[in-house]
Amino acid sequence: MSGNLAIHADGLRKSYPGPGGAVEAVRGLSLSVPKGEFFGLLGPNGAGKSTTIGMLTTMVRPSAGHAGICGLDVAADPVAVKRRIGVVAQDNTLDIELTVAENLEFRGRYFGLGRRAARARAQDLLALFGLTDRGRARVFELSGGQLKRVMIARALVHRPDVLFLDEPTAGLDPQSRLHLWDILRGLQADGQTILLTTHHMEEAETLCDRLAVIDHGRVLACDSAKALRDSIGAETVVTVVHEGGDFDLAAVRAMARADRVEAADGQVRVFAKDADGVLSDLVALAAKAGLTVLDASQISPSLETVFLTLTGREFRE
C-alpha cells in the first residue's frame, strides 16, 4: 500500500447470515484515499455505507478483502488503527454525566495524556470549535449544532490521522450546518484527512475533493463532483411531469435527438446535449398524446442527477 494513502480498501466483502442464506452487505468494494483528502461516500439507505465504515474503523470484521489505515492492517492490528482514527457517529455518544470539557478531558486521558495535557488539549479544542463558554455545560444543555461540534472535537482529542464523519449535519438548521462546514474546511486546510457520509448533495459537493457513489455494496462511480456531473453526457436535463397516460418514448427520442430518455412515475426526462426547443416540443408531444402536463423544467445536470441516475429512484427503507 502506498505510503501516501490514508485509507485503502481492496476487495472488501461482508456477509451476514439471513433466513434465506448469506446476505451480502458489501461486495468487493475498493477505495483509495490519499492523506489530506476530503472524501465523500454517497449512497441510498442500505447501500453498504455503514458496513463499509464499520470495516474501515475496526468495528466490523470483513468477510474477505483487505482494509488499511495509514499502512496499518485494520484486521491484523485494530488497536493501532484505533489510535490513528477518530469516529463521529450520527447518534449522540457523549457522556451525559460529564460536562463538555470533561468529555474532552476524559477522552484525552483514555489516549494516554496526563491530566494537565488533557485539560490543555480540551481547552484548545473548545476554542477551535467556538465552545469555550460552554465548557462547564452539561450535554443536555447543548443545541444540536453544539452537540455535533463537541462530538467532532472529542474525536480529534488524540490528533487522529483520519476523521470519519457519519452524516454530521443531519437534523441541523442551515446556520449550524454552514458553521460546521467552515470548521471542517479549516480542519482539512490544516492537513486532516476526512471521510464523510452524507445524503446532502450540496454538502458533498461543497466539501469533498472526490466522491464515491455506492449501492448494493459496490462502488458505482468515484471522481470529483464536476467529473461525475460531466459523466452524464448531457448539457441539459429536460423533465416533464404528466398524468393521463404515457409518452411514446420512441417518438421522444426521435424528437429530442437524444440517446438517453428515462420515464417513470409520471415523469419523462431527456438528457440532451442540445436542448434548444426540446421542452416546448415535449409539451406539444404530450398534448398530442392527450396527456396533462403538471410541471416542466430544464436544468443543468446536478450531483443529485448523477446520484439518481446511478442508484435509481425507487424508495429505500
Side-chain angles (χ1 to χ4, degrees):
M1 186 171 72
S2 169
N4 189 47
L5 291 181
I7 302 171
H8 179 72
D10 184 19
L12 278 185
R13 293 182 176 272
K14 182 60 183 178
S15 298
Y16 295 99
V23 177
E24 285 192 293
V26 175
R27 312 178 187 190
L29 183 144
S30 297
L31 288 174
S32 293
V33 179
K35 294 177 180 177
E37 185 171 58
F38 206 130
F39 189 84
L41 272 186
L42 301 179
N45 293 332
K49 301 189 300 299
S50 295
T51 303
T52 299
I53 296 298
M55 288 189 285
L56 294 174
T57 59
T58 78
M59 302 302 292
V60 176
R61 189 170 186 85
S63 301
H66 170 268
I69 299 292
C70 298
L72 298 169
D73 189 293
V74 170
D77 204 352
V79 174
V81 168
K82 287 176 181 177
R83 293 185 176 277
R84 307 290 290 272
I85 63 174
V87 183
V88 181
Q90 290 184 48
D91 299 327
N92 177 13
T93 57
L94 298 172
D95 191 325
I96 62 173
E97 300 297 325
L98 303 179
T99 66
V100 169
E102 287 170 342
N103 266 279
L104 304 188
E105 291 171 22
F106 279 37
R107 177 56 63 94
R109 299 302 301 277
Y110 291 149
F111 278 90
L113 296 181
R115 185 184 301 275
R116 184 175 298 176
R119 184 167 297 172
R121 178 62 173 157
Q123 292 304 313
D124 289 343
L125 287 167
L126 289 175
L128 175 65
F129 283 84
L131 293 164
T132 299
D133 62 338
R134 306 300 287 157
R136 294 186 178 183
R138 299 286 179 177
V139 170
F140 61 82
E141 297 176 301
L142 303 180
S143 68
Q146 290 169 340
L147 278 172
K148 288 292 185 180
R149 279 183 276 156
V150 175
M151 289 171 65
I152 296 172
R154 188 181 61 170
L156 293 170
V157 165
H158 60 297
R159 294 182 171 86
D161 293 297
V162 185
L163 178 63
F164 290 87
L165 302 173
D166 191 2
E167 298 189 40
T169 63
L172 297 188
D173 60 68
Q175 290 85 356
S176 297
R177 184 170 65 245
L178 292 174
H179 187 190
L180 194 52
W181 287 1
D182 288 340
I183 291 173
L184 295 177
R185 279 191 287 248
L187 290 174
Q188 189 201 11
D190 289 338
Q192 181 71 59
T193 304
I194 303 174
L195 188 148
L196 166 84
T197 71
T198 182
H199 287 294
H200 197 297
M201 297 298 147
E202 182 186 2
E203 179 167 275
E205 192 156 4
T206 299
L207 295 177
C208 298
D209 300 311
R210 289 188 305 140
L211 299 156
V213 181
I214 70 174
D215 198 12
H216 302 297
R218 296 188 177 95
V219 175
L220 304 181
C222 182
D223 216 323
S224 67
K226 181 182 183 304
L228 290 174
R229 290 195 308 271
D230 291 345
S231 70
I232 291 294
E235 296 294 329
T236 307
V237 180
V238 180
T239 303
V240 170
V241 182
H242 60 89
E243 64 181 8
D246 296 317
F247 272 91
D248 181 342
L249 296 186
V252 172
R253 291 189 182 91
M255 174 273 299
R257 301 173 302 283
D259 294 329
R260 186 168 173 193
V261 175
E262 295 180 354
D265 302 324
Q267 291 188 31
V268 63
R269 302 166 78 231
V270 176
F271 296 78
K273 292 184 178 179
D274 180 7
D276 188 30
V278 171
L279 182 56
S280 58
D281 287 348
L282 268 178
V283 173
L285 196 62
K288 184 177 179 181
L291 307 179
T292 301
V293 174
L294 304 177
D295 191 23
S297 63
Q298 181 171 305
I299 61 171
S300 299
S302 64
L303 189 57
E304 183 172 305
T305 307
V306 176
F307 180 82
L308 293 174
T309 298
L310 290 170
T311 64
R313 294 170 171 271
E314 70 271 17
F315 181 76
R316 304 291 181 96
E317 293 290 347

